[in-house]
Amino acid sequence: MLVRSDDPGPVMVAFGNVNKFYGAFQALRDVTLSVTAGEVVVLIGASGSGKSTLIRCVNGLETHESGSLVVDGFSMPTVRDLEFGSGEKALHQIRRGVGMVFQQFNLFPHKTVMENIALAPRRVRGKSREEAQAIAMRLLERVGLRDQAQKYPGKLSGGQQQRVAIARSLAMEPHVMLFDEPTSALDPELVGEVLDVMRELRTEGMTMMIVTHEMAFAREVADRVIYMDKGAIVEEGPPAQIFDKPISDRTRTFLSRVLKH
């Protein structure tokens, strides 16, 4: 088990003046941000503020137009790089080291829980069937679902399916984990079981970038909270600063709306 330390580790993710467009709409505006190994960074902000786009850029699901993005030592190709046929190797290497958990679980409904988790280690990591199954069982134990290994996703609750999705991402032994509102599709009574798994990952030293509307959870687990608006980072700092003494009027206005509900 990794032990968390106050000493900053190596930089795992580094944005430098990154811009992202969808046609004429600018989704990210000169984003500059670094995330160190073992750090938990939580992104907050209204829907459409650029949070999900930002973390989707980290594993290449979205491609930026300008600026620099380095993930785990590899430079993420820009739109232009890919158009000219360069950067595919770096993109592949980045995706091998970055896990992502989405709002929806995206599990294969025709495969068992075991098969869902063992698939990537076999196809991407070249593990044998026995090795991949051993990895899957270890991870199911880790997320508290060992007894569900032979069930199909449709037989599980939403919270259980999301925990399987987390285990599936961990099966690739990622260096960075991305979470895009992982509890937003869950019934309120199921949210806690997913957050508990994320808390455990934090204690193990996993580098995480989390988009969430769960403000109490953000305050609890984050090393740093980032408030975004209109594609830009408005304010960032430790949870106590952002939630108790925000500097920006825009941050205060946002929090006054979300915290009263």
Side-chain angles (χ1 to χ4, degrees):
M1 179 181 291
L2 295 174
V3 178
R4 291 178 59 82
S5 170
D6 292 332
D7 295 329
V11 174
M12 298 299 293
V13 180
F15 287 80
N17 297 112
V18 167
N19 292 282
K20 168 65 184 172
F21 292 85
Y22 297 106
F25 174 73
Q26 188 167 3
L28 295 178
R29 300 174 182 271
D30 292 316
V31 170
T32 296
L33 167 68
S34 293
V35 180
T36 57
E39 187 177 17
V40 178
V41 173
V42 175
L43 295 99
I44 63 172
S47 296
S49 60
K51 310 180 302 296
S52 293
T53 300
L54 187 149
I55 66 167
R56 287 170 68 89
C57 283
V58 175
N59 69 347
L61 288 176
E62 302 289 353
T63 311
H64 63 293
E65 274 76 14
S66 64
S68 65
L69 174 54
V70 179
V71 182
D72 202 11
F74 296 94
S75 292
M76 181 71 73
T78 64
V79 170
R80 186 175 179 83
D81 291 332
L82 294 174
E83 287 176 349
F84 282 87
S86 64
E88 288 286 353
K89 184 175 181 180
L91 181 58
H92 177 69
Q93 289 293 338
I94 289 169
R95 285 177 170 165
R96 283 171 63 94
V98 178
M100 186 157 185
V101 178
F102 302 88
Q103 297 178 36
Q104 303 299 327
F105 322 123
N106 297 331
L107 300 174
F108 294 111
H110 61 289
K111 292 184 179 295
T112 65
V113 165
M114 165 79 79
E115 290 168 337
N116 266 277
I117 299 172
L119 185 62
R122 292 190 66 188
R123 290 192 176 178
V124 181
R125 297 289 188 186
K127 302 289 187 181
S128 69
R129 179 185 180 89
E130 292 74 21
E131 288 175 321
Q133 289 184 344
I135 290 168
M137 289 305 294
R138 185 180 76 247
L139 290 170
L140 284 171
E141 181 81 39
R142 189 172 175 183
V143 300
L145 292 173
R146 184 181 179 88
D147 59 340
Q148 308 296 319
Q150 300 307 321
K151 289 186 178 179
Y152 288 90
K155 298 296 184 181
L156 305 182
S157 70
Q160 290 174 321
Q161 289 186 62
Q162 193 62 295
R163 283 188 279 160
V164 172
I166 293 173
R168 180 182 58 184
S169 291
L170 292 173
M172 287 295 291
E173 301 178 343
H175 300 151
V176 179
M177 282 286 287
L178 311 174
F179 294 87
D180 188 6
E181 298 188 26
T183 61
S184 65
L186 301 179
D187 292 333
E189 64 270 19
L190 302 178
V191 168
E193 62 191 62
V194 174
L195 297 184
D196 283 344
V197 174
M198 295 170 68
R199 289 184 182 98
E200 182 64 23
L201 290 176
R202 181 190 192 279
T203 65
E204 294 173 2
M206 176 63 73
T207 307
M208 295 191 283
M209 298 180 70
I210 304 169
V211 174
T212 185
H213 293 291
E214 302 283 345
M215 295 299 154
F217 177 70
R219 180 191 286 268
E220 174 192 350
V221 304
D223 295 302
R224 190 159 32 119
V225 176
I226 293 174
Y227 169 62
M228 293 188 68
D229 187 32
K230 298 179 180 178
I233 294 176
V234 175
E235 186 171 355
E236 61 180 294
Q241 174 196 316
I242 299 299
F243 290 110
D244 299 332
K245 298 179 180 179
I247 298 170
S248 169
D249 289 340
R250 289 155 72 184
T251 309
R252 282 194 291 270
T253 299
F254 169 75
L255 289 173
S256 70
R257 291 199 306 265
V258 299
L259 294 178
K260 66 183 180 182
H261 293 296

